[in-house]
Amino acid sequence: MAVLERSFFRYFTIVSQRSPLISASTKSVLLPEHYRHHASANAYQKENSDQIRYQIFKMHNHYLDRLDNTSQQYAINLSINSSRHKISSLFDPKVTLPSYLNDEKKGEGIGKIYAFKRQRNYQDQGYTFIQLPSVEIGSRRCLPVDTVIHFFKDIDNHVNKYATRLKWAKVQLIDYYNACTYQLAFQFLILTGVRPTHALSLETQRCYGLKQAIHADKGRYRVIFLCDFLQQSIRDYLSLQKDILTQLKVETTSPYLWFLLDNRANLYI
């Protein structure tokens, strides 16, 4: 029983380590360094304190709800019963959150919870609440979202430019194919978080139904889940790859799903 109690009291430490609902920046605030999966991950991204506060709130409520559902499923009594409190449940599913805690602000991709300072107003003995500026946490090297969006738009325009002038000559086929390969490689990086110091492709034998894969990372293999968009991008690419390799009469010998071709249509990563 003591082990279970220790596990329960470490509940939010454990879920903070494993939760997909919060970023590395948020984990760096919640967890001491020796509890973090990757101590340097915070150097790859940047968020402000308002966004981090919102993530912590959403995660906290999500996992409290998980505890509530589990307690109901197994008829566990999670209630307060003491001389100072009447018997009452620790969780109230009927609580309605205010709108600002449900609002993902203006399409920014993540909500914000602002911090305020309460200042005494001596004229009417009331209080004035002053919004505090947010604090940036994370890497100063982090690129703005708009810059990343423009980067991928430029890649898409580059690929489409090849496609519109394609005459099915060998050199043009190879250029078009390589442009599509680079596009998929960058999508793979941004949508999986795989570090660019490793192979920017997936081994065919370690990719399972295009839904998840195992990727080598510093001598160890770790599971990568592929989102719907990336799954469809890989399917489209593999269909194109099959057609172009057939046109070029190239036999597939690479162990990877996507790869480049040199000017002689030889495979290389």
Side-chain angles (χ1 to χ4, degrees):
M1 186 65 184
V3 174
L4 293 176
E5 287 180 359
R6 285 199 298 270
S7 298
F8 180 76
F9 285 116
R10 290 182 59 243
Y11 180 67
F12 281 102
T13 299
I14 295 170
V15 298
S16 296
Q17 286 178 296
R18 302 175 183 176
S19 175
L21 303 175
I22 57 176
S23 64
S25 299
T26 303
K27 291 181 180 182
S28 72
V29 173
L30 290 173
L31 298 169
E33 188 171 348
H34 63 280
Y35 275 112
R36 300 175 205 166
H37 170 68
H38 184 358
S40 300
N42 200 36
Y44 305 143
Q45 54 189 279
K46 180 174 66 175
E47 290 172 316
N48 63 51
S49 54
D50 298 336
Q51 295 170 322
I52 289 173
R53 197 177 292 112
Y54 182 86
Q55 287 185 55
I56 294 173
F57 173 81
K58 297 293 283 189
M59 183 200 72
H60 183 266
N61 278 273
H62 174 81
Y63 285 105
L64 282 177
D65 186 57
R66 185 168 175 260
L67 281 177
D68 185 32
N69 292 335
T70 303
S71 67
Q72 293 180 29
Q73 180 182 355
Y74 295 100
I76 300 172
N77 182 21
L78 293 177
S79 61
I80 299 174
N81 184 15
S82 69
S83 58
R84 298 180 60 184
H85 299 278
K86 296 180 179 179
I87 297 177
S88 61
S89 175
L90 287 176
F91 305 104
D92 185 356
K94 297 180 181 179
V95 171
T96 301
L97 297 176
S99 59
Y100 75 93
L101 292 179
N102 284 310
D103 184 22
E104 302 239 338
K105 309 292 182 181
K106 298 180 181 179
E108 294 179 13
I110 185 172
K112 295 181 180 180
I113 295 179
Y114 302 103
F116 294 86
K117 178 177 69 174
R118 191 176 74 164
Q119 183 171 295
R120 187 70 178 266
N121 188 342
Y122 293 99
Q123 293 180 351
D124 57 7
Q125 300 301 311
Y127 293 94
T128 301
F129 293 89
I130 302 172
Q131 183 176 328
L132 299 175
S134 61
V135 178
E136 297 291 337
I137 297 174
S139 173
R140 295 181 179 179
R141 301 174 297 168
C142 183
L143 295 174
V145 174
D146 289 345
T147 302
V148 177
I149 292 172
H150 286 304
F151 174 75
F152 279 94
K153 283 185 177 179
D154 287 342
I155 292 177
D156 193 54
N157 291 335
H158 179 67
V159 171
N160 291 334
K161 182 177 66 176
Y162 276 113
T164 55
R165 67 185 187 188
L166 201 61
K167 296 181 180 179
W168 300 109
K170 181 177 179 179
V171 174
Q172 290 176 318
L173 275 176
I174 293 173
D175 288 342
Y176 177 52
Y177 171 81
N178 285 342
C180 292
T181 303
Y182 280 120
Q183 182 182 42
L184 181 59
F186 282 118
Q187 290 174 351
F188 173 66
L189 283 175
I190 200 73
L191 295 173
T192 64
V194 170
R195 285 174 288 178
T197 53
H198 304 284
L200 304 187
S201 184
L202 292 173
E203 295 180 69
T204 304
Q205 66 177 359
R206 301 187 189 278
C207 188
Y208 309 103
L210 296 183
K211 294 184 178 180
Q212 61 184 26
I214 297 177
H215 188 71
D217 188 352
K218 288 191 174 180
R220 296 184 179 182
Y221 285 99
R222 66 183 181 95
V223 178
I224 295 172
F225 295 95
L226 310 179
C227 67
D228 293 342
F229 180 88
L230 186 56
Q231 290 179 38
Q232 189 58 51
S233 293
I234 295 175
R235 290 191 188 98
D236 294 341
Y237 172 86
L238 292 178
S239 177
L240 173 70
Q241 182 190 77
K242 181 179 179 181
D243 291 341
I244 289 182
L245 294 184
T246 300
Q247 289 281 337
L248 297 174
K249 299 179 181 180
V250 174
E251 294 185 4
T252 304
T253 58
S254 174
Y256 293 96
L257 283 180
W258 57 89
F259 45 81
L260 298 171
L261 298 174
D262 64 15
N263 292 333
R264 296 182 180 179
N266 295 318
L267 308 185
Y268 71 98
I269 298 301

